[in-house]
């Protein structure tokens, strides 16, 4: 079969190495082969294309994007992939590995359906509606999808899925015209308008763009993206994701409270978002703001001011090769999230503090390692933490923390490509 031959070609292996790392080429080849076979089983033979959209890792800028702040994030080697083919009917049909459900979305009816409790259906419907809203074309396709971006893990499995669907429709119906910003806005539209999730653009941007990037949301409609050229693995360090075992279910109110409270501080001072203020504005009116917005809101605003500045300092430290300073800033980010932002546990729930326990244990472990850091990862309240430590300490740390918490631990790398058509990458490599 020509698809298998393309996948196993030298160019195919080069592309897979760029996406996943040389040591993962064999495993990923088998993964894509299995996906092709699953597609054939459900849809038969025909012209197909392969697509990939990564999850994301947040390095700095915890809960700043929604108040027009700055973030440092990267696409990672865990991803959502699809084998897909264009069809004439205005219907999207797909299966997802591990589930028996056959998903069918009629593009002639994209009205929101609040009663639909399947987030997958809501997101696909919302993405299609968002594409039309932003002036793009839509059409049908059929696909078989697989993901190793664990859900409820803080690695943005939802955004990874959204960017995958956007990339497929962009390729089949818009000549690949959607860039990372366009895809991200459409993913955000789907979450905000169809899934009732008050998300910013961070997750989608990090999944869509690729590599390690500093993103400034001072104007959310036109985010400023600056690639940061730093390879953790090649410089002797690993990004380790620890799943603390907490559940993301029913956390919408906790997530929503963070941007809402930051905005309450801004609005009490006549602004819209915290980016429009300085710490001095808050200091000069502290008593009034505490009375109007509340003390937790004040602490969260203070976190925003410090975290926003910290992203610039992190980027500068990496660009100047001051990795020890960078790690110190990562640790400071984690401490600020824990003490000021207060997103490592849910208010009023004292018996379940999975993230706090994982951070406390990791901080104790890292006392014996000079250059290392840990922090809550992503939205917080439940989910995962990020630990950065030397490569030669990873095996020991994984065994230690997984034994303590009886949970999964992943080592991730930053990959250079965001959401892409993998088939196109291989064909381009052949031409080169």
């Amino acid at each position: 079969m020509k698809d298998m031959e393309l996948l196993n070609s030298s160019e195919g292996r080069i592309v897979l190495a760029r996406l996943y790392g040389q040591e993962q080429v064999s495993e990923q080849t088998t993964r894509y082969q299995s996906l092709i076979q699953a597609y054939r089983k459900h849809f038969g033979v025909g012209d197909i294309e392969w697509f990939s959209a990564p999850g994301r890792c947040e390095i700095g800028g915890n809960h700043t994007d929604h108040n027009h702040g700055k973030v440092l994030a990267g696409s990672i080697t865990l991803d959502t992939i699809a084998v897909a083919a264009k069809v004439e009917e205005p219907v999207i049909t797909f299966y997802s590995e591990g589930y028996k459900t056959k998903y069918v979305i009629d593009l002639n009816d994209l009205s929101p359906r609040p009663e639909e409790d399947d987030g997958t259906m809501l997101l696909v419907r919302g993405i299609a509606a968002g594409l039309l809203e932003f002036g793009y074309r839509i059409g049908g396709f059929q696909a078989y999808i697989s993901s190793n971006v664990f859900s409820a893990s803080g690695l943005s499995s939802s955004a990874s899925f959204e960017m995958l669907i956007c990339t497929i429709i962009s390729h089949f119906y818009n000549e690949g015209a959607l860039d990372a910003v366009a895809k991200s806005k459409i993913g955000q539209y789907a979450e905000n308008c169809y899934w009732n999730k008050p998300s910013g653009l961070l997750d989608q941007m990090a999944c869509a763009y690729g590599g390690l990037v500093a993103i400034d949301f001072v104007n959310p409609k036109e985010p400023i993206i600056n690639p940061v050229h730093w390879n953790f693995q090649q410089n002797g360090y690993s990004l380790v994701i620890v799943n603390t075992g907490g559940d993301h279910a029913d956390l919408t109110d906790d997530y929503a409270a963070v941007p809402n409270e930051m905005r309450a501080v801004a609005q009490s001072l006549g602004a819209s978002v915290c980016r429009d203020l300085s710490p001095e504005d808050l200091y000069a009116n502290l008593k009034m703001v505490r009375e109007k917005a509340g003390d937790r809101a004040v602490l969260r605003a203070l976190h925003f001011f410090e975290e926003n500045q910290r992203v610039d300092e992190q980027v500068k430290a990496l660009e100047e090769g001051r990795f020890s300073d960078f790690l110190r800033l990562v640790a400071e980010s984690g401490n600020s999230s824990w003490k000021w932002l207060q997103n490592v546990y849910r208010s009023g729930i004292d018996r379940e503090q999975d993230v706090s326990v994982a951070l406390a244990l990791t901080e104790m472990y890292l006392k014996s390692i000079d250059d290392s850091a840990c922090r809550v990862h992503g939205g917080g309240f439940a989910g995962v933490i990020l630990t950065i430590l030397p490569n030669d300490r990873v095996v020991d740390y994984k065994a230690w923390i997984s034994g303590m918490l009886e949970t999964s631990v992943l080592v991730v790398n930053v990959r250079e490509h965001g959401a892409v058509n993998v088939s196109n990458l291989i064909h381009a490599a052949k031409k080169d």
Side-chain angles (χ1 to χ4, degrees):
M1 296 172 62
K2 64 178 182 180
D3 299 311
M4 297 298 189
E5 292 174 0
L6 184 64
L7 189 63
N8 285 288
S9 67
S10 59
E11 292 84 3
R13 298 181 69 83
I14 289 171
V15 167
L16 292 180
R18 284 161 55 188
L19 288 173
Y20 304 102
Q22 188 62 50
E23 69 283 356
Q24 290 289 316
V25 169
S26 179
E27 179 180 332
Q28 292 298 329
T29 300
T30 300
R31 182 181 176 217
Y32 276 88
Q33 288 174 337
S34 298
L35 203 67
I36 293 170
Q37 291 168 352
Y39 175 92
R40 301 292 187 203
K41 177 181 177 181
H42 287 88
F43 297 109
V45 177
D47 292 333
I48 58 174
E49 310 236 13
W50 317 322
F51 299 86
S52 164
R56 70 100 175 98
C57 183
E58 176 193 280
I59 310 295
N62 194 216
H63 278 287
T64 55
D65 60 320
H66 46 60
N67 266 252
H68 299 193
K70 302 174 183 179
V71 300
L72 177 63
S75 57
I76 59 174
T77 47
L78 301 178
D79 62 348
T80 306
I81 62 175
V83 173
K86 183 178 180 180
V87 298
E88 295 300 321
E89 301 79 12
V91 177
I92 294 174
T93 307
F94 65 92
Y95 293 88
S96 184
E97 186 179 34
Y99 299 89
K100 295 181 179 179
T101 305
K102 179 181 180 181
Y103 294 97
V104 181
I105 297 94
D106 185 345
L107 298 178
N108 290 316
D109 180 12
L110 296 176
S111 57
R113 299 184 183 180
E115 75 282 0
E116 201 168 51
D117 61 1
D118 190 319
T120 301
M121 296 284 283
L122 289 170
L123 285 175
V124 175
R125 205 184 310 280
I127 288 167
L131 283 156
L132 292 177
E133 179 74 17
F134 285 89
Y136 295 101
R137 294 183 296 275
I138 62 173
F141 67 84
Q142 55 193 23
Y144 196 89
I145 297 173
S146 175
S147 180
N148 58 14
V149 185
F150 299 112
S151 61
S153 67
L155 298 173
S156 298
S157 58
S158 296
S160 174
F161 175 76
E162 294 159 22
M163 296 304 95
L164 180 80
I165 300 300
C166 281
T167 302
I168 293 172
I169 298 177
S170 175
H171 173 74
F172 286 145
Y173 294 99
N174 295 276
E175 299 178 337
L178 278 76
D179 62 11
V181 175
K183 294 175 188 177
S184 298
K185 290 178 180 177
I186 291 164
Q188 183 189 36
Y189 176 92
E191 291 202 7
N192 293 173
C193 301
Y194 278 68
W195 206 21
N196 198 31
K197 301 290 184 181
S199 63
L201 275 174
L202 164 59
D203 294 351
Q204 290 83 1
M205 287 290 295
C207 294
Y209 195 84
L212 187 64
V213 290
I215 310 172
D216 189 342
F217 293 102
V218 63
N219 177 3
K221 293 183 179 180
E222 297 295 337
I224 302 169
I225 308 169
N226 289 309
V228 180
H229 302 291
W230 181 270
N231 187 304
F232 289 92
Q233 281 283 323
Q234 290 181 5
N235 283 279
Y237 286 81
S238 293
L239 304 176
V240 183
I241 300 293
V242 180
N243 188 345
T244 69
D247 188 357
H248 271 80
D250 299 323
L251 291 177
T252 298
D253 290 344
D254 294 278
Y255 291 144
V258 177
N260 290 343
E261 290 181 12
M262 288 183 183
R263 292 189 188 111
V265 170
Q267 290 163 7
S268 70
L269 294 170
S272 298
V273 292
C274 283
R275 184 62 179 270
D276 297 332
L277 302 173
S278 69
E280 289 71 27
D281 294 325
L282 179 55
Y283 302 155
N285 299 277
L286 184 59
K287 182 178 179 181
M288 180 272 290
V289 176
R290 290 179 67 185
E291 291 174 351
K292 283 193 172 184
D295 285 348
R296 189 174 69 173
V298 167
L299 288 166
R300 285 175 164 173
L302 290 171
H303 164 82
F304 175 90
F305 297 136
E306 289 295 300
E307 187 78 346
N308 211 42
Q309 178 180 332
R310 195 155 30 233
V311 170
D312 287 337
E313 294 172 355
Q314 287 179 327
V315 172
K316 187 176 181 181
L318 287 178
E319 291 176 342
E320 296 176 356
R322 295 182 288 105
F323 197 67
S324 294
D325 289 340
F326 166 78
L327 289 171
R328 172 181 54 79
L329 292 164
V330 172
E332 288 179 4
S333 173
N335 287 330
S336 182
S337 293
W338 198 337
K339 294 188 298 185
W340 295 5
L341 183 63
Q342 299 180 35
N343 70 326
V344 301
Y345 52 84
R346 303 185 68 183
S347 299
I349 300 179
D350 56 357
R351 288 188 60 83
E352 297 177 9
Q353 297 191 19
D354 308 273
V355 174
S356 303
V357 170
L359 287 170
L361 292 171
T362 298
E363 286 185 357
M364 295 295 290
Y365 180 90
L366 296 182
K367 280 186 175 182
S368 63
I369 305 174
D370 291 334
D371 287 337
S372 59
C374 66
R375 50 159 286 186
V376 62
H377 183 274
F381 302 107
V384 303
I385 69 169
L386 168 69
T387 303
I388 306 176
L389 72 170
N391 291 338
D392 60 4
R393 299 299 297 267
V394 170
V395 173
D396 182 69
Y397 172 71
K398 285 180 63 177
W400 185 80
I401 196 69
S402 61
M404 295 286 283
L405 300 179
E406 297 183 349
T407 190
S408 58
V409 184
L410 304 169
V411 179
V412 299
N413 294 318
V414 175
R415 81 180 206 184
E416 69 175 282
H417 290 289
V420 292
N421 180 320
V422 178
S423 305
N424 280 356
L425 288 182
I426 297 175
H427 289 303
K430 280 185 171 294
K431 291 179 181 178
D432 293 340

